[in-house]
Amino acid sequence: MNDLPFWKSKTLAEMTAAEWESLCDGCGLCCLNKIEEWDSGDIYFTSVSCKLLDGESCRCSSYENRWDFVPDCVQLTKENVPDIAWLPPTCGYRLVDEGRDLYWWHPLVSGDPETVHAAGISARGRTINENEIDIDDLEDYVVDWPLTVGEEKDEEEA
């Protein structure tokens, strides 16, 4: 009998719908607006969140109907995860796809959905809603913290 948790014993393709959904740690980082340079393909995160992101819970306020409000919302699928370069380095989908383990603060590991926030990994308290800015000023909100969250903890553990 296999006593390993599903994220260690299954590929993304083998996961049930419920297992797949539970891989989301609730950080909200994927719901930040990004800027892509057309010539280089470089992607930059901003601190500007999608209008549907609840800044406190870091969850979509209309997940089931999000495409009604945000037609270009990117749906993560078992097939496209490897191709989405902007997934944060702490993303459970990315980690499992790369054959790596989930971090201690991931709700599946900790058993508590608040640990992602307590560990300082999430977007909680760091964003401004896209409805509150002039979209022409988006480049003024470029940040690097979505790519560096968790580095301090990793260094402490090393």
Side-chain angles (χ1 to χ4, degrees), residues 108-135:
L108 287 172
V109 177
S110 71
D112 182 356
E114 285 299 308
T115 52
V116 66
H117 308 298
I121 305 303
S122 77
R124 181 182 279 173
R126 300 180 182 196
T127 64
I128 184 169
N129 189 288
E130 66 187 359
N131 287 337
E132 297 175 26
I133 69 156
D134 181 337
I135 202 67

Side-chain angles (χ1 to χ4, degrees), residues 11 15 29 35 40 49 76 85 87 95 115 127 134 138 142 146-147:
T11 65
M15 291 183 187
L29 299 180
I35 299 171
S40 68
S49 69
L76 293 182
L87 284 175
L95 293 170
T115 52
T127 64
D134 181 337
L138 189 59
V142 169
L147 298 173

Side-chain angles (χ1 to χ4, degrees), residues 52-118:
L52 297 179
L53 183 68
D54 177 313
E56 180 60 24
S57 70
C58 291
R59 295 289 185 165
C60 183
S61 62
S62 188
Y63 185 70
E64 296 299 323
N65 301 306
R66 62 194 180 276
W67 292 292
D68 293 342
F69 306 102
V70 183
D72 60 346
C73 179
V74 175
Q75 171 70 41
L76 293 182
T77 66
K78 298 170 183 182
E79 295 77 29
N80 71 8
V81 165
D83 301 322
I84 300 179
W86 51 258
L87 284 175
T90 55
C91 176
Y93 298 102
R94 168 174 264 178
L95 293 170
V96 170
D97 182 61
E98 293 174 351
R100 298 167 54 208
D101 199 1
L102 301 178
Y103 288 95
W104 66 268
W105 44 260
H106 192 289
L108 287 172
V109 177
S110 71
D112 182 356
E114 285 299 308
T115 52
V116 66
H117 308 298

